[in-house]
Amino acid sequence: MGLLDEPARRERLDPGRMLDAIRDLPRQCRAAWEEAQAFSLPPRYRGARRLAVLGMGGSAIAGDYLRALGPAVPMASVRSYDIPPWVDGECLVIASSYSGNTEETLSAFQQALSAGALVVAVTSGGRLAELARSAGVPIFRFHYSAQPRAALGYSLMPLLAIAHQAGLLPDPAPAVAEAIALLERERERLDAVVPSEANPAKRLAERLHGRLPVVYGGGHLVAVAQRWKTQLNENAKVWAFYEELPEANHNAILGYGLPPQVARLACVVFLRSPALHPRVLLRYQFTAQALAEASVGQETVEVPGESALAQLLAATLMGDYVSYYLALLNQVDPTPVPTIDALKAWLASR
């Protein structure tokens, strides 16, 4: 029995039960989607000509996923205290904060109100809910107990429903149904009860143990590559990076061999789908060859699914499991984020 197959090890290292939260993603997405169907926007919100999602961390990733699905208007994910200068009365602004107390999001939210934007809040409560209620703007309020990064369903599904109601996204219901069914199948393949020799997420975590992970994605999978990076940071407590294809072929590809100490430690994970642009797929091929010539380790994850949404969520589940198993190999608790908590306390004192 491998280390990742020992239930006692999981019990000892995962007192916060992050594994349960990862397992819950399919059910969470279904529940969040059903709740989002009962949410309605004022009719004037259908006139939006631009879209901005305000958020940090997992909430911002949900905005990136929405952008990857190609809304009908220009869109940006705003990870900042300040809104872009183009936010105005024709811009739909979705402020997303799990706790409702994310200071960057609160600052940008108040600026969006002042700019007369078409504002919506997505939150479990906190200061964001209070401000939205006082301003009389729509609030999608949810109740889900988890670390914010484990609440992706409640960050993403309301965004899909709101964008569709605003006329900015085709009906996502068929893709949501496909994605949830695929998540349920993928969970059966990746879960902790599946032994290491038959579990691709466990095998990849073992490959990344003691290495520097660099996750590559192209097209809509760039957003998932970033999600993998942040989950590796927060769950496994390791340095990790992500790169975007084809952009990496214009810079990063020149640095694979140096310094040699880093090249020996790095391991690139390609997130790949045949649905990507054919020229981007050619770049995957050449990039893999360049990495091999520089003696940099590499692995490829073939992302399943027909729709872009299903691919995004299937790749997300794989990355969440990999980060969890790597946490166990690193002998760290995947749930707490003490340095982030310390930063928030330090900022609050100033």
Side-chain angles (χ1 to χ4, degrees):
M1 179 183 291
L3 292 175
L4 295 177
D5 300 330
E6 299 174 2
R9 185 184 184 90
R10 295 197 296 271
E11 291 291 329
R12 176 172 59 86
L13 292 173
D14 186 22
R17 307 194 72 83
M18 178 61 73
L19 178 59
D20 289 348
I22 294 171
R23 286 170 167 163
D24 193 48
L25 184 60
R27 189 212 62 81
Q28 182 196 147
C29 286
R30 179 180 289 107
W33 177 249
E34 290 173 355
E35 290 176 35
Q37 300 314 291
F39 181 77
S40 60
L41 287 176
R44 65 189 181 89
Y45 279 57
R46 290 190 62 88
R49 300 183 64 181
R50 289 171 294 282
L51 172 59
V53 175
L54 317 178
M56 305 297 297
S59 300
I61 288 292
D64 292 336
Y65 282 18
L66 174 58
R67 184 175 57 186
L69 296 175
V73 295
M75 178 191 164
S77 292
V78 180
R79 294 173 166 87
S80 175
Y81 290 92
D82 299 313
I83 58 173
W86 43 261
V87 171
D88 57 18
E90 294 184 321
C91 181
L92 173 61
V93 174
I94 307 173
S96 179
S97 169
Y98 175 87
S99 67
N101 297 316
T102 308
E103 65 174 61
E104 300 96 328
T105 304
L106 291 173
S107 172
F109 174 77
Q110 290 174 303
Q111 292 177 36
L113 289 176
S114 298
L118 304 165
V119 183
V120 184
V122 176
T123 184
S124 68
R127 181 67 174 151
L128 179 58
E130 295 173 4
L131 291 171
R133 191 180 303 111
S134 297
V137 302
I139 308 170
F140 179 87
R141 187 163 183 174
F142 60 87
H143 303 280
Y144 186 74
S145 180
Q147 286 285 324
R149 64 189 183 275
L152 180 64
Y154 275 102
S155 296
L156 177 60
M157 294 299 157
L159 266 59
L160 301 180
I162 291 168
H164 174 56
Q165 282 194 39
L168 307 181
L169 197 70
D171 184 6
V176 170
E178 182 210 349
I180 292 171
L182 179 57
L183 284 173
E184 291 172 340
R185 294 195 300 272
E186 286 295 285
R187 181 179 57 193
E188 296 302 310
R189 192 171 70 99
L190 304 173
D191 195 56
V193 298
V194 180
S196 294
E197 60 267 21
N199 190 319
K202 288 183 179 179
R203 294 200 305 270
L204 182 52
E206 290 167 345
R207 179 83 167 97
L208 294 176
H209 187 215
R211 310 293 291 274
L212 175 64
V214 185
V215 188
Y216 273 60
H220 59 287
L221 297 180
V222 174
V224 193
Q226 184 170 3
R227 165 74 177 194
W228 274 56
K229 179 262 183 196
T230 59
Q231 290 295 86
L232 289 165
N233 294 151
E234 295 190 62
N235 289 345
K237 313 300 192 279
V238 296
W239 274 40
F241 302 92
Y242 80 101
E243 291 279 3
E244 175 179 352
L245 285 171
E247 174 63 24
N249 287 167
H250 295 264
N251 35 66
I253 199 168
L254 296 171
Y256 290 158
L258 297 174
Q261 302 94 323
V262 175
R264 287 193 297 270
L265 283 174
C267 185
V268 168
V269 178
F270 288 106
L271 304 181
R272 186 186 179 281
S273 163
L276 296 174
H277 192 288
R279 301 296 292 181
V280 173
L281 290 173
L282 286 176
R283 290 173 180 275
Y284 272 74
Q285 182 179 338
F286 186 91
T287 304
Q289 177 183 324
L291 287 165
E293 291 172 355
S295 300
V296 177
Q298 58 185 281
E299 298 288 333
T300 297
V301 173
E302 296 289 349
V303 178
E306 294 296 324
S307 67
L309 178 63
Q311 292 181 18
L312 288 169
L313 288 174
T316 295
L317 188 66
M318 175 68 165
D320 288 1
Y321 271 112
V322 170
S323 69
Y324 175 80
Y325 296 137
L326 186 56
L328 300 186
L329 292 172
N330 288 338
Q331 300 192 65
V332 297
D333 184 343
T335 300
V337 285
T339 309
I340 294 175
D341 293 338
L343 169 63
K344 291 179 179 178
W346 184 84
L347 289 170
S349 69
R350 283 157 172 78

